Amino acid sequence: MTTPTREPAPETTAPRPQVPLLLAAVFLIYLGQMTLNPIIAPLSREVGLAEWQIGVTISTAAVMVVLTSQVWGRTSQSWGRKPVLVAAFGLAVVAMALFALLASLGMAGLVNGTLLFVLFVLLRGVGFGTAIAAVPPTAQAYIADVTPDQAARVRGMAGIGAVQGIAMVVGSVVGGLLSVFGLITPLVAVPVLLSAGLALIVFRLRREPRHELVQTPARISPRDRRVWPFLLAGFGMFTALGFIQVITGFIVQDRLGLDAETTGLLTGAALLAAGLGMILAQAVIVPRSGWAPATLLRVGGIIAFAGFALLIIDAGPMPLFAAILLIGLGLGIAMPGYTAGPTLLVSREEQGGLAGLIGATTGLTFVVAPTAGTALYGLWPPLPIIAGTAIMGIVAVFVLVHPRFRRLPAEPAGADPGAES
């Protein structure tokens, strides 16, 4: 009697990483935010809110990013990317649908004063701020999981920045064009866009099997000597940006003497210039240059500094748009260095915590900078731009001279967790 020959088990191939879907999630959440940005300044004046109240609203969103980013980042490793993104997009849809309703009531004069301001803070600040905090850390931690070397890691992180830049371009165009039909139109469009993102995640994003998850993601300290120089550089870059981002609409309206609808259109054009610079940087320059993270920070920091300095000059629309383009280009080159560099120095178990820490650091800059920027603008319009220029100059010097940016490994390494200075 012969024993039957057992057929070899078929080889199972691991499913391909779903990086494009994660990038689509980043794109759609930022598209919702960027569609609103061109009309936030004229909207505030239409409903009777002061510049500082809009600054507080944006700063509240940043506080929520600081408070929740690390939690989201670690949770994305222990629960999986899909549950985290479904929760985030669901919250974003509800918050922005209610925000659109509130704004329409405010423009009709049915809600005003302190109540309007508090509801602006709760919906746009707390609700949407908590939701958007989940998405970049989830994408960054995932890309760190699936990229095997420095070059792939930098390209992956540049992809996140590139889709953010594309969202800035598309959102600026959509927000600016829709504002021609009234400020309420882009407000209604935002929850519709976010609902499309939610549907994409629910029906297309694959949930990881439990063995691929990290059961106990590690915390990582902002004082960790492997990462704090990157965090400090990123903090400076985004603080400089925060000083001018919220006041861009006010700069456009006041320097060019425009009404509310035209301000929305041309603010969209200004943000479009920044987005084009970012796309050029992260879709073309960063992938083709092959530069290491430190080089990206140095080159990008110098270019962004030049853009901030040019923006100080009130010389009409062309220098204004050129300055914003340079700022987008410079920060677009520097950002992958900021996000990819420290991921080469920490273990897999620390990647979610690190991604959340990067998101929290970026969010921290918008706790104070928008409120300070709008307050300084009320004192003297060039003042927040001068402050941003000085901070960007300090960052450019720091990344040139600090030794951490001269000692980066070419391959990801599982460094000793908790090494602090």
Side-chain angles (χ1 to χ4, degrees):
M1 180 176 180
T2 59
T3 304
T5 304
R6 181 172 296 176
E7 294 290 331
E11 292 186 6
T12 58
T13 58
R16 295 183 64 181
Q18 292 189 290
V19 172
L21 271 176
L22 270 293
L23 295 181
V26 176
F27 170 74
L28 287 166
I29 199 84
Y30 278 92
L31 181 61
Q33 181 186 40
M34 297 303 175
T35 298
L36 185 62
N37 277 357
I39 58 119
I40 196 69
L43 174 65
S44 69
R45 289 173 174 173
E46 288 292 308
V47 299
L49 294 180
E51 289 92 341
W52 70 267
Q53 291 175 310
I54 293 301
V56 169
T57 301
I58 303 302
S59 293
T60 301
V63 169
M64 300 313 300
V65 171
V66 173
L67 293 177
T68 62
S69 283
Q70 284 214 62
V71 176
W72 284 124
R74 293 195 302 271
T75 303
S76 76
Q77 284 194 298
S78 60
W79 284 12
R81 278 78 189 190
K82 184 169 185 172
V84 166
L85 292 176
V86 167
F89 271 83
L91 175 59
V93 169
V94 172
M96 296 314 293
L98 292 175
F99 183 79
L101 175 61
L102 174 65
S104 66
L105 295 175
M107 287 188 284
L110 299 176
V111 181
N112 51 44
T114 302
L115 177 60
L116 179 70
F117 172 51
V118 170
L119 291 175
F120 256 58
V121 170
L122 288 176
L123 294 174
R124 176 61 180 83
V126 176
F128 190 69
T130 301
I132 202 170
V135 182
T138 300
Q140 288 172 16
Y142 181 76
I143 287 171
D145 265 353
V146 300
T147 48
D149 54 45
Q150 176 181 276
R153 185 75 50 86
V154 169
R155 286 195 302 270
M157 298 300 178
I160 295 176
V163 297
Q164 288 175 321
I166 295 169
M168 184 179 294
V169 170
V170 177
S172 300
V173 171
V174 171
L177 291 178
L178 290 180
S179 69
V180 174
F181 302 100
L183 296 181
I184 193 62
T185 309
L187 288 168
V188 172
V190 170
V192 174
L193 292 169
L194 295 172
S195 296
L198 178 60
L200 180 68
I201 293 162
V202 168
F203 295 111
R204 295 296 304 277
L205 186 61
R206 182 178 63 248
R207 185 165 186 176
E208 303 101 321
R210 178 151 292 277
H211 71 271
E212 292 183 9
L213 302 177
V214 177
Q215 299 303 315
T216 54
R219 292 177 179 269
I220 187 165
S221 168
R223 300 188 305 276
D224 191 304
R225 66 172 178 261
R226 297 167 295 173
V227 304
W228 76 257
F230 290 93
L231 298 179
L232 186 60
F235 179 82
M237 290 191 302
F238 285 100
T239 297
L241 178 62
F243 269 105
I244 67 158
Q245 189 172 44
V246 176
I247 64 168
T248 299
F250 300 122
I251 294 171
V252 169
Q253 186 167 26
D254 295 340
R255 286 189 181 182
L256 305 181
L258 306 173
D259 59 25
E261 281 72 21
T262 309
T263 297
L265 185 62
L266 288 189
T267 301
L271 296 174
L272 172 63
L276 288 174
M278 191 172 290
I279 293 171
L280 176 63
Q282 299 191 342
V284 179
I285 295 174
V286 172
R288 295 188 180 184
S289 69
W291 289 335
T295 305
L296 294 171
L297 280 165
R298 291 166 181 157
V299 174
I302 292 170
I303 294 172
F305 171 73
F308 277 96
L310 180 59
L311 189 61
I312 297 173
I313 304 167
D314 182 0
M318 293 308 295
L320 190 156
F321 290 129
I324 292 174
L325 175 66
L326 282 175
I327 291 170
L329 179 67
L331 293 179
I333 292 172
M335 281 169 55
Y338 161 55
T339 54
T343 69
L344 300 169
L345 303 171
V346 303
S347 66
R348 180 174 183 255
E349 291 74 17
E350 294 172 300
Q351 293 293 347
L354 174 62
L357 188 58
I358 289 171
T361 301
T362 303
L364 184 61
T365 65
F366 288 94
V367 173
V368 176
T371 302
T374 49
L376 292 175
Y377 189 83
L379 294 175
W380 184 43
L383 197 53
I385 308 172
I386 293 170
T389 304
I391 293 168
M392 197 66 236
I394 292 170
V395 170
V397 172
F398 176 70
V399 298
L400 282 171
V401 302
H402 194 279
R404 165 54 70 198
F405 302 103
R406 294 195 292 270
R407 296 197 305 266
L408 279 178
E411 303 293 332
D416 174 34
E420 296 180 6
S421 61

